Amino acid sequence: MTDSPPPARSLPPWLYYGVLLLVASAFVLHDNSADRDLWHRLALGQYVFQHGALPSHDVFSYLSESTPLHDHEWGCGLLFYTLHHFLGDWSLVALKLTAYLAVIVLIDVTARFYYKAMDLLALSWMLLVALALVPVYVSTVRCLVFTNLFLALWLYWLVRLRAGYKMPAWPFALTAALWANLHGGFPAGLGLLALYGLGEKLNRRPWEPFFRIGLFAAAATLVNPYTYQLWLSTAKAVASPRLHIYEWAATPLGDFSYFGFKLLALATILVVFLLLVTGRARANWDWVAILVVGMPLILAVRHLRHLALFSIIAGVIVYRGVCLLRRPASAAPTRHYLAVIVLPLLIIFGGFLLKNGDQYRLRVAEPDYPVRAVAFLEQNLPATGPAQKLLVPFNWGSYASWQLFPRALVSLDGRYELVYSQQTYRAVTDFFYNAPDWDTALRQNPPDVILLPRRPALETRLLDSQSYRLVYSDDLAAVFYKTESPAQASLQRH
């Protein structure tokens, strides 16, 4: 797309970014529920601090595979634990907010690379993009935020490269090495480079720089504690089926959930349609834009996990089409009366964000987590002797590991594709869903303790088996001890 858009009324930078960043902050600070994957990241970071090395095998589960552990999020766990240990849980909320706002600013700067105006159209577009990104950031910080950050940064560099600016390979290589040690989403960056190269080849423009940079970046990802084994574990994770994992389900299209993404996707389709109808698409046909927007859109429809991938790229690329469709406007700056009206509102809004300290702390509460049941186990599990085998559902496993390790080893947690076989995942899931083969996990490797969401039918089955005894229950969870187990003996002593 090479046409220049008409000039537009501009907003003062302080007003533009003040509105954008404050409203975006409100989007993600209204809920700081702790992400379920946070706990096993903290547990790993704590282990590294205590032992001075990464574990060669999994140490947190009694059902994990005995193969060597190649954790593609080890750096993220070390960073999270360091912040949490020295600064407290508010630092994790601050990291989430900082990463989110950094992505917003990068998208904004990149989207306005050709069309500089800080006008109401640009502000409205960026607020839409910020809203579309909210589902990734609404819970406490997770490792995925680093993939979003590096993706937005690479997109900025790629736009500059296409515009004729010199862009050496070393910034891509350096950030690729960091990316590979923080999150397993680094193949998304390499895929973006491949799509840019393929698109430029179809455009009959120089495509070699993108593939050359891609080779350097791919080689840099080998700078990690596991070298090439990290690629193998990442490939295994990507190929693993995700039964009952909500974020890997298809995006629901028939309701108002994920409203920001759906509005952005509709805006994308509408912009493409109008470019075709007005004939501007033919004059500005660009295979790069088609590939790098179209592929993430397909992935986002297929998997909720990829909503951010599409939102970041569409926020940049589709905005160029929006600018081609805009009507002519005066180049005069916006009247000062707008600033007079908005400035007090920004002050009031900023004060509202700062008034409640709870907005900047982790929220760990029921029904997200079995807080009371785990507190009971903390008090009653044996302090010495072998670790107790704790059968726990997928969504609670990481929290239980963080609170109870090393006194208890869990059956399953959020690292399902990294350390568990599909047979193990299915056996544990079948138990908690009371499937026909519900007792496979009990027979193959009998647990000492069971932490169970309140399900009367399954509780009755356990009691009828006479192998487990109910020792604790509340309105959310129940705890069963194996008869004559060390945990049972410890409870009797208490």
Side-chain angles (χ1 to χ4, degrees):
M1 299 178 183
T2 57
D3 287 1
S4 298
R9 292 179 179 270
S10 61
L11 298 171
W14 66 264
L15 179 61
Y16 180 87
Y17 280 114
V19 172
L20 177 59
L21 298 183
L22 277 175
V23 174
S25 298
F27 284 163
V28 298
L29 286 178
H30 76 279
D31 183 8
N32 285 319
S33 300
D35 186 80
R36 290 187 174 97
D37 289 342
L38 172 66
W39 308 113
H40 60 249
R41 295 297 110 211
L42 290 174
L44 177 65
Q46 184 180 54
Y47 180 94
V48 174
F49 255 73
Q50 292 174 347
H51 295 83
L54 291 165
S56 59
H57 293 74
D58 179 62
V59 297
F60 299 106
S61 173
Y62 71 93
L63 291 180
S64 59
E65 294 183 289
S66 59
T67 55
L69 178 64
H70 306 122
D71 192 337
H72 49 258
E73 296 179 353
W74 74 271
C76 199
L78 190 57
L79 173 62
F80 288 175
Y81 178 75
T82 301
L83 291 173
H84 183 270
H85 180 72
F86 289 104
L87 298 177
D89 57 6
W90 69 267
S91 63
L92 298 177
V93 177
L95 177 60
K96 173 188 82 165
L97 180 61
T98 302
Y100 174 67
L101 295 182
V103 168
I104 298 294
V105 171
L106 279 170
I107 296 172
D108 173 72
V109 171
T110 311
R112 293 187 300 101
F113 182 79
Y114 291 103
Y115 316 126
K116 306 294 185 182
M118 291 182 176
D119 59 357
L120 289 175
L121 176 63
L123 179 59
S124 301
W125 179 259
M126 288 309 306
L127 289 174
L128 173 58
V129 174
L131 181 63
L133 287 169
V134 164
V136 178
Y137 295 89
V138 71
S139 64
T140 323
V141 67
R142 52 189 307 188
C143 301
L144 180 61
V145 302
F146 294 106
T147 282
N148 297 340
L149 182 61
F150 288 126
L151 187 73
L153 181 60
W154 281 26
L155 195 57
Y156 171 71
W157 289 339
L158 290 172
V159 167
R160 288 178 59 87
L161 182 60
R162 290 194 80 200
Y165 288 83
K166 291 184 178 180
M167 195 67 226
W170 69 262
F172 289 91
L174 177 61
T175 50
L178 291 172
W179 196 342
N181 286 279
L182 289 168
H183 186 244
F186 65 90
L190 302 178
L192 181 64
L193 283 167
L195 290 176
Y196 260 82
L198 177 59
E200 289 294 62
K201 186 172 180 62
L202 294 173
N203 287 336
R204 298 182 179 179
R205 294 184 58 189
W207 55 271
E208 295 87 351
F210 301 97
F211 282 90
R212 184 172 60 253
I213 290 172
L215 290 176
F216 277 101
T221 63
L222 298 176
V223 182
N224 68 79
Y226 315 108
T227 62
Y228 73 93
Q229 296 288 348
L230 183 72
W231 272 85
L232 300 180
S233 67
T234 302
K236 175 188 173 184
V238 171
S240 296
R242 272 89 172 182
L243 299 174
H244 310 296
I245 309 299
Y246 181 73
E247 68 176 356
W248 287 99
T251 301
L253 301 178
D255 55 30
F256 289 99
S257 61
Y258 305 98
F259 179 74
F261 158 73
K262 293 173 182 176
L263 198 57
L264 182 60
L266 287 175
T268 298
I269 295 171
L270 179 61
V271 167
V272 171
F273 173 77
L274 292 176
L275 288 173
L276 290 171
V277 169
T278 59
R280 299 197 179 193
R282 287 190 294 274
N284 299 275
W285 191 264
D286 184 5
W287 279 107
V288 171
I290 294 169
L291 291 175
V292 301
V293 174
M295 185 62 70
L297 178 57
I298 294 171
L299 291 174
V301 171
R302 293 189 62 186
H303 302 292
L304 287 164
R305 174 86 171 192
H306 299 305
L307 295 188
L309 176 66
F310 166 76
S311 300
I312 292 170
I313 294 175
V316 171
I317 305 299
V318 179
Y319 183 68
R320 296 186 66 186
V322 172
C323 290
L324 290 175
L325 295 168
R326 67 188 308 163
R327 293 180 179 179
S330 169
T334 303
R335 300 294 183 186
H336 292 294
Y337 70 79
L338 181 59
V340 172
I341 295 173
V342 174
L343 179 58
L345 295 178
L346 289 180
I347 295 174
I348 294 172
F349 193 55
F352 175 77
L353 287 179
L354 296 173
K355 74 177 182 65
N356 186 359
D358 290 341
Q359 289 178 285
Y360 306 96
R361 305 192 67 84
L362 294 183
R363 190 176 74 86
V364 184
E366 298 178 353
D368 294 331
Y369 300 102
V371 176
R372 288 172 290 170
V374 170
F376 169 84
L377 289 172
E378 283 187 274
Q379 182 179 357
N380 291 285
L381 283 178
T384 59
Q388 301 299 293
K389 294 183 288 187
L390 174 62
L391 183 59
V392 62
F394 171 79
N395 283 334
W396 291 353
S398 296
Y399 177 69
S401 277
W402 170 242
Q403 297 291 339
L404 303 175
F405 181 81
R407 290 192 292 162
L409 303 180
V410 299
S411 56
L412 191 67
D413 58 33
R415 302 166 303 144
Y416 56 93
E417 81 283 10
L418 185 64
V419 300
Y420 302 104
S421 67
Q422 286 301 308
Q423 292 77 12
T424 295
Y425 177 80
R426 186 176 294 277
V428 174
T429 303
D430 283 350
F431 171 79
F432 287 103
Y433 278 85
N434 203 14
D437 292 330
W438 69 281
D439 60 345
T440 300
L442 302 183
R443 290 184 284 102
Q444 292 182 346
N445 199 332
D448 301 304
V449 184
I450 301 174
L451 177 57
L452 179 71
R454 295 308 303 268
R455 289 172 182 164
L458 190 53
E459 292 176 29
T460 300
R461 274 186 159 181
L462 282 173
L463 293 172
D464 289 345
S465 72
Q466 299 185 353
S467 298
Y468 292 88
R469 175 188 170 208
L470 178 65
V471 296
Y472 172 86
S473 65
D474 55 44
D475 56 348
L476 177 64
V479 176
F480 287 80
Y481 279 3
K482 187 179 181 182
T483 307
E484 305 300 330
S485 71
Q488 177 69 33
S490 176
L491 179 64
Q492 292 170 354
R493 286 194 298 270
H494 278 81

